[in-house]
PDB file of all heavy atoms in Angstrom:
ATOM      1  N   HIS A 252     -42.179 -50.364  33.496  1.00  0.00           N
ATOM      2  CA  HIS A 252     -43.597 -50.284  33.845  1.00  0.00           C
ATOM      3  C   HIS A 252     -44.091 -48.846  33.846  1.00  0.00           C
ATOM      4  O   HIS A 252     -45.199 -48.557  33.375  1.00  0.00           O
ATOM      5  CB  HIS A 252     -43.816 -50.906  35.230  1.00  0.00           C
ATOM      6  CG  HIS A 252     -43.473 -52.359  35.307  1.00  0.00           C
ATOM      7  ND1 HIS A 252     -42.207 -52.812  35.572  1.00  0.00           N
ATOM      8  CD2 HIS A 252     -44.245 -53.459  35.131  1.00  0.00           C
ATOM      9  CE1 HIS A 252     -42.198 -54.120  35.573  1.00  0.00           C
ATOM     10  NE2 HIS A 252     -43.411 -54.565  35.301  1.00  0.00           N
ATOM     11  N   ILE A 308     -59.400 -50.274  27.477  1.00  0.00           N
ATOM     12  CA  ILE A 308     -58.356 -50.845  28.315  1.00  0.00           C
ATOM     13  C   ILE A 308     -57.998 -52.243  27.846  1.00  0.00           C
ATOM     14  O   ILE A 308     -56.809 -52.602  27.707  1.00  0.00           O
ATOM     15  CB  ILE A 308     -58.776 -50.863  29.796  1.00  0.00           C
ATOM     16  CG1 ILE A 308     -58.895 -49.428  30.315  1.00  0.00           C
ATOM     17  CG2 ILE A 308     -57.801 -51.676  30.644  1.00  0.00           C
ATOM     18  CD1 ILE A 308     -59.467 -49.321  31.718  1.00  0.00           C
ATOM     19  N   ILE A 312     -54.273 -53.408  26.178  1.00  0.00           N
ATOM     20  CA  ILE A 312     -53.397 -54.431  26.739  1.00  0.00           C
ATOM     21  C   ILE A 312     -53.154 -55.538  25.724  1.00  0.00           C
ATOM     22  O   ILE A 312     -52.042 -56.045  25.577  1.00  0.00           O
ATOM     23  CB  ILE A 312     -54.065 -55.029  28.003  1.00  0.00           C
ATOM     24  CG1 ILE A 312     -54.185 -53.958  29.113  1.00  0.00           C
ATOM     25  CG2 ILE A 312     -53.279 -56.221  28.521  1.00  0.00           C
ATOM     26  CD1 ILE A 312     -52.866 -53.475  29.635  1.00  0.00           C
ATOM     27  N   GLU A 394     -65.231 -60.195  38.337  1.00  0.00           N
ATOM     28  CA  GLU A 394     -64.630 -58.879  38.059  1.00  0.00           C
ATOM     29  C   GLU A 394     -63.274 -58.756  38.732  1.00  0.00           C
ATOM     30  O   GLU A 394     -62.328 -58.245  38.105  1.00  0.00           O
ATOM     31  CB  GLU A 394     -65.581 -57.785  38.554  1.00  0.00           C
ATOM     32  CG  GLU A 394     -66.893 -57.688  37.802  1.00  0.00           C
ATOM     33  CD  GLU A 394     -66.683 -57.397  36.341  1.00  0.00           C
ATOM     34  OE1 GLU A 394     -65.835 -56.550  36.006  1.00  0.00           O
ATOM     35  OE2 GLU A 394     -67.364 -58.037  35.496  1.00  0.00           O
ATOM     36  N   LEU A 395     -63.166 -59.187  39.968  1.00  0.00           N
ATOM     37  CA  LEU A 395     -61.860 -59.127  40.651  1.00  0.00           C
ATOM     38  C   LEU A 395     -60.833 -59.986  39.935  1.00  0.00           C
ATOM     39  O   LEU A 395     -59.673 -59.582  39.749  1.00  0.00           O
ATOM     40  CB  LEU A 395     -62.027 -59.587  42.100  1.00  0.00           C
ATOM     41  CG  LEU A 395     -62.775 -58.641  43.039  1.00  0.00           C
ATOM     42  CD1 LEU A 395     -62.939 -59.279  44.423  1.00  0.00           C
ATOM     43  CD2 LEU A 395     -62.036 -57.301  43.170  1.00  0.00           C
ATOM     44  N   PHE A 396     -61.252 -61.169  39.525  1.00  0.00           N
ATOM     45  CA  PHE A 396     -60.335 -62.065  38.805  1.00  0.00           C
ATOM     46  C   PHE A 396     -59.874 -61.419  37.475  1.00  0.00           C
ATOM     47  O   PHE A 396     -58.695 -61.474  37.136  1.00  0.00           O
ATOM     48  CB  PHE A 396     -61.037 -63.385  38.515  1.00  0.00           C
ATOM     49  CG  PHE A 396     -60.235 -64.351  37.691  1.00  0.00           C
ATOM     50  CD1 PHE A 396     -59.232 -65.111  38.275  1.00  0.00           C
ATOM     51  CD2 PHE A 396     -60.474 -64.521  36.327  1.00  0.00           C
ATOM     52  CE1 PHE A 396     -58.475 -65.986  37.516  1.00  0.00           C
ATOM     53  CE2 PHE A 396     -59.733 -65.403  35.572  1.00  0.00           C
ATOM     54  CZ  PHE A 396     -58.723 -66.140  36.171  1.00  0.00           C
ATOM     55  N   SER A 397     -60.813 -60.787  36.757  1.00  0.00           N
ATOM     56  CA  SER A 397     -60.476 -60.156  35.492  1.00  0.00           C
ATOM     57  C   SER A 397     -59.441 -59.031  35.676  1.00  0.00           C
ATOM     58  O   SER A 397     -58.479 -58.927  34.916  1.00  0.00           O
ATOM     59  CB  SER A 397     -61.727 -59.610  34.805  1.00  0.00           C
ATOM     60  OG  SER A 397     -62.664 -60.644  34.554  1.00  0.00           O
ATOM     61  N   TRP A 398     -59.667 -58.179  36.700  1.00  0.00           N
ATOM     62  CA  TRP A 398     -58.739 -57.068  36.923  1.00  0.00           C
ATOM     63  C   TRP A 398     -57.386 -57.544  37.396  1.00  0.00           C
ATOM     64  O   TRP A 398     -56.346 -56.979  37.027  1.00  0.00           O
ATOM     65  CB  TRP A 398     -59.336 -56.082  37.919  1.00  0.00           C
ATOM     66  CG  TRP A 398     -60.367 -55.195  37.292  1.00  0.00           C
ATOM     67  CD1 TRP A 398     -61.717 -55.259  37.478  1.00  0.00           C
ATOM     68  CD2 TRP A 398     -60.112 -54.149  36.357  1.00  0.00           C
ATOM     69  NE1 TRP A 398     -62.345 -54.303  36.705  1.00  0.00           N
ATOM     70  CE2 TRP A 398     -61.416 -53.602  36.014  1.00  0.00           C
ATOM     71  CE3 TRP A 398     -59.006 -53.616  35.772  1.00  0.00           C
ATOM     72  CZ2 TRP A 398     -61.533 -52.564  35.118  1.00  0.00           C
ATOM     73  CZ3 TRP A 398     -59.150 -52.555  34.879  1.00  0.00           C
ATOM     74  CH2 TRP A 398     -60.395 -52.042  34.575  1.00  0.00           C
ATOM     75  N   ILE A 399     -57.345 -58.623  38.185  1.00  0.00           N
ATOM     76  CA  ILE A 399     -56.067 -59.178  38.612  1.00  0.00           C
ATOM     77  C   ILE A 399     -55.303 -59.717  37.400  1.00  0.00           C
ATOM     78  O   ILE A 399     -54.089 -59.497  37.269  1.00  0.00           O
ATOM     79  CB  ILE A 399     -56.299 -60.286  39.652  1.00  0.00           C
ATOM     80  CG1 ILE A 399     -56.790 -59.678  40.971  1.00  0.00           C
ATOM     81  CG2 ILE A 399     -54.994 -61.088  39.902  1.00  0.00           C
ATOM     82  CD1 ILE A 399     -57.196 -60.712  42.000  1.00  0.00           C
ATOM     83  N   ILE A 400     -56.021 -60.388  36.490  1.00  0.00           N
ATOM     84  CA  ILE A 400     -55.375 -60.920  35.279  1.00  0.00           C
ATOM     85  C   ILE A 400     -54.835 -59.769  34.426  1.00  0.00           C
ATOM     86  O   ILE A 400     -53.714 -59.847  33.891  1.00  0.00           O
ATOM     87  CB  ILE A 400     -56.364 -61.772  34.475  1.00  0.00           C
ATOM     88  CG1 ILE A 400     -56.685 -63.065  35.223  1.00  0.00           C
ATOM     89  CG2 ILE A 400     -55.806 -62.084  33.092  1.00  0.00           C
ATOM     90  CD1 ILE A 400     -55.499 -63.968  35.439  1.00  0.00           C
ATOM     91  N   ILE A 401     -55.613 -58.688  34.291  1.00  0.00           N
ATOM     92  CA  ILE A 401     -55.180 -57.546  33.474  1.00  0.00           C
ATOM     93  C   ILE A 401     -53.914 -56.920  34.074  1.00  0.00           C
ATOM     94  O   ILE A 401     -52.939 -56.609  33.358  1.00  0.00           O
ATOM     95  CB  ILE A 401     -56.300 -56.507  33.368  1.00  0.00           C
ATOM     96  CG1 ILE A 401     -57.419 -57.046  32.472  1.00  0.00           C
ATOM     97  CG2 ILE A 401     -55.777 -55.184  32.808  1.00  0.00           C
ATOM     98  CD1 ILE A 401     -58.624 -56.138  32.390  1.00  0.00           C
ATOM     99  N   ILE A 402     -53.897 -56.746  35.393  1.00  0.00           N
ATOM    100  CA  ILE A 402     -52.744 -56.121  36.048  1.00  0.00           C
ATOM    101  C   ILE A 402     -51.514 -57.026  35.918  1.00  0.00           C
ATOM    102  O   ILE A 402     -50.403 -56.549  35.600  1.00  0.00           O
ATOM    103  CB  ILE A 402     -53.058 -55.856  37.535  1.00  0.00           C
ATOM    104  CG1 ILE A 402     -54.123 -54.757  37.635  1.00  0.00           C
ATOM    105  CG2 ILE A 402     -51.804 -55.419  38.295  1.00  0.00           C
ATOM    106  CD1 ILE A 402     -54.641 -54.554  39.054  1.00  0.00           C
ATOM    107  N   LEU A 403     -51.681 -58.313  36.179  1.00  0.00           N
ATOM    108  CA  LEU A 403     -50.569 -59.256  36.048  1.00  0.00           C
ATOM    109  C   LEU A 403     -50.083 -59.347  34.603  1.00  0.00           C
ATOM    110  O   LEU A 403     -48.870 -59.456  34.355  1.00  0.00           O
ATOM    111  CB  LEU A 403     -50.975 -60.631  36.557  1.00  0.00           C
ATOM    112  CG  LEU A 403     -51.209 -60.768  38.070  1.00  0.00           C
ATOM    113  CD1 LEU A 403     -51.658 -62.191  38.407  1.00  0.00           C
ATOM    114  CD2 LEU A 403     -49.955 -60.414  38.849  1.00  0.00           C
ATOM    115  N   LEU A 404     -51.022 -59.289  33.683  1.00  0.00           N
ATOM    116  CA  LEU A 404     -50.624 -59.342  32.260  1.00  0.00           C
ATOM    117  C   LEU A 404     -49.818 -58.122  31.866  1.00  0.00           C
ATOM    118  O   LEU A 404     -48.799 -58.232  31.185  1.00  0.00           O
ATOM    119  CB  LEU A 404     -51.878 -59.459  31.384  1.00  0.00           C
ATOM    120  CG  LEU A 404     -51.666 -59.670  29.880  1.00  0.00           C
ATOM    121  CD1 LEU A 404     -50.899 -60.963  29.615  1.00  0.00           C
ATOM    122  CD2 LEU A 404     -53.008 -59.714  29.147  1.00  0.00           C
ATOM    123  N   PHE A 405     -50.262 -56.946  32.332  1.00  0.00           N
ATOM    124  CA  PHE A 405     -49.505 -55.721  32.031  1.00  0.00           C
ATOM    125  C   PHE A 405     -48.118 -55.789  32.662  1.00  0.00           C
ATOM    126  O   PHE A 405     -47.129 -55.434  32.013  1.00  0.00           O
ATOM    127  CB  PHE A 405     -50.266 -54.512  32.566  1.00  0.00           C
ATOM    128  CG  PHE A 405     -49.556 -53.211  32.381  1.00  0.00           C
ATOM    129  CD1 PHE A 405     -49.567 -52.577  31.146  1.00  0.00           C
ATOM    130  CD2 PHE A 405     -48.838 -52.628  33.417  1.00  0.00           C
ATOM    131  CE1 PHE A 405     -48.886 -51.386  30.956  1.00  0.00           C
ATOM    132  CE2 PHE A 405     -48.168 -51.430  33.235  1.00  0.00           C
ATOM    133  CZ  PHE A 405     -48.194 -50.787  31.994  1.00  0.00           C
ATOM    134  N   TRP A 406     -48.028 -56.239  33.905  1.00  0.00           N
ATOM    135  CA  TRP A 406     -46.735 -56.358  34.577  1.00  0.00           C
ATOM    136  C   TRP A 406     -45.824 -57.329  33.842  1.00  0.00           C
ATOM    137  O   TRP A 406     -44.631 -57.042  33.603  1.00  0.00           O
ATOM    138  CB  TRP A 406     -46.951 -56.807  36.012  1.00  0.00           C
ATOM    139  CG  TRP A 406     -45.683 -56.948  36.802  1.00  0.00           C
ATOM    140  CD1 TRP A 406     -45.008 -55.981  37.467  1.00  0.00           C
ATOM    141  CD2 TRP A 406     -44.923 -58.161  36.984  1.00  0.00           C
ATOM    142  NE1 TRP A 406     -43.874 -56.499  38.068  1.00  0.00           N
ATOM    143  CE2 TRP A 406     -43.793 -57.834  37.781  1.00  0.00           C
ATOM    144  CE3 TRP A 406     -45.098 -59.479  36.565  1.00  0.00           C
ATOM    145  CZ2 TRP A 406     -42.833 -58.769  38.148  1.00  0.00           C
ATOM    146  CZ3 TRP A 406     -44.152 -60.423  36.927  1.00  0.00           C
ATOM    147  CH2 TRP A 406     -43.039 -60.054  37.723  1.00  0.00           C
ATOM    148  N   GLY A 407     -46.364 -58.472  33.447  1.00  0.00           N
ATOM    149  CA  GLY A 407     -45.563 -59.491  32.737  1.00  0.00           C
ATOM    150  C   GLY A 407     -45.103 -59.016  31.374  1.00  0.00           C
ATOM    151  O   GLY A 407     -43.962 -59.261  30.971  1.00  0.00           O
ATOM    152  N   ILE A 408     -45.979 -58.319  30.643  1.00  0.00           N
ATOM    153  CA  ILE A 408     -45.613 -57.819  29.322  1.00  0.00           C
ATOM    154  C   ILE A 408     -44.471 -56.824  29.443  1.00  0.00           C
ATOM    155  O   ILE A 408     -43.514 -56.816  28.639  1.00  0.00           O
ATOM    156  CB  ILE A 408     -46.824 -57.191  28.617  1.00  0.00           C
ATOM    157  CG1 ILE A 408     -47.852 -58.273  28.280  1.00  0.00           C
ATOM    158  CG2 ILE A 408     -46.401 -56.465  27.350  1.00  0.00           C
ATOM    159  CD1 ILE A 408     -49.161 -57.715  27.740  1.00  0.00           C
ATOM    160  N   CYS A 409     -44.542 -55.938  30.433  1.00  0.00           N
ATOM    161  CA  CYS A 409     -43.512 -54.912  30.622  1.00  0.00           C
ATOM    162  C   CYS A 409     -42.172 -55.553  30.980  1.00  0.00           C
ATOM    163  O   CYS A 409     -41.117 -55.128  30.472  1.00  0.00           O
ATOM    164  CB  CYS A 409     -43.920 -53.914  31.703  1.00  0.00           C
ATOM    165  SG  CYS A 409     -45.250 -52.787  31.206  1.00  0.00           S
TER     166      CYS A 409
END
Side-chain angles (χ1 to χ4, degrees):
H252 297 87
I308 292 174
I312 296 295
E394 293 300 317
L395 289 176
F396 176 79
S397 300
W398 283 107
I399 290 173
I400 291 297
I401 289 175
I402 292 172
L403 291 178
L404 186 60
F405 178 79
W406 181 85
I408 292 173
C409 289

